Amino acid sequence: MAYSEKVMDHFANPRNVGEIPDASGVGEVGNSKCGDIMRMYIKVEGNVITDCKFKTFGCGAAIATSSMATELIKGKTIDEALKLTNKAVMEALDGLPPVKVHCSVLAEQAIKAALSDYYTRQGIDPTPIVGVITECDHEHGCGCESCG
Ligand code: FES
């Protein structure tokens, strides 16, 4: 399966690359098999994610999914961002080859990790809200929450 035009676009021209110096939350996740690392910065005002940036040391699909994920949560409420699944990121990119599904999982996890950090900084235990951030390769029938 070839990459979609949207994947190629977000890989070649990633949106929201960089850091937020006064971020409300920063999350970093990695995949131990491929070694790719994704770091996500969010700025929260009230209940809204007003800004989101990322730095990804990883493959093209990881860059494209990070870019799309930041676009999808920017301007959204925390609740909406928490509901963002890797499937939604993949759909927004018109799909990914099966071997690249795990890259979209990293994007979902990076957002959750940033939100966890946001809650931790407020003195709130993030686990009941954000859940446990686990590494899943989303291989056939893994049964994790994102895979459903
Ligand atoms: Fe691991 Fe893409 S190959 S995130």
Side-chain angles (χ1 to χ4, degrees), residues 1 7 19 23 29 33 36 44 55 59 63 71 80 85 106-109 111 113 116-117 125 148:
M1 177 179 158
V7 171
E19 299 177 12
V29 292
K33 281 194 191 157
D36 291 355
V44 180
K55 278 198 160 171
C59 74
I63 290 166
E71 289 281 89
E80 288 169 325
T85 61
L106 267 192
E108 177 193 314
Q109 290 175 332
I111 288 169
S116 287
D117 183 47
D125 177 8

Side-chain angles (χ1 to χ4, degrees), residues 31 33-38 58-62 99-100 102-104 106:
N31 182 295
K33 281 194 191 157
C34 66
D36 291 355
I37 295 167
M38 207 178 272
C59 74
V99 292
K100 290 288 165 181
H102 79 270
C103 318
S104 68
L106 267 192

Side-chain angles (χ1 to χ4, degrees), residues 84-91 101-102 104-106 108 138 146-147:
L84 183 75
T85 61
N86 74 297
K87 277 187 187 158
V89 175
M90 282 199 298
E91 278 169 22
V101 172
H102 79 270
S104 68
V105 175
L106 267 192
E108 177 193 314
H138 296 252
S146 300
C147 292

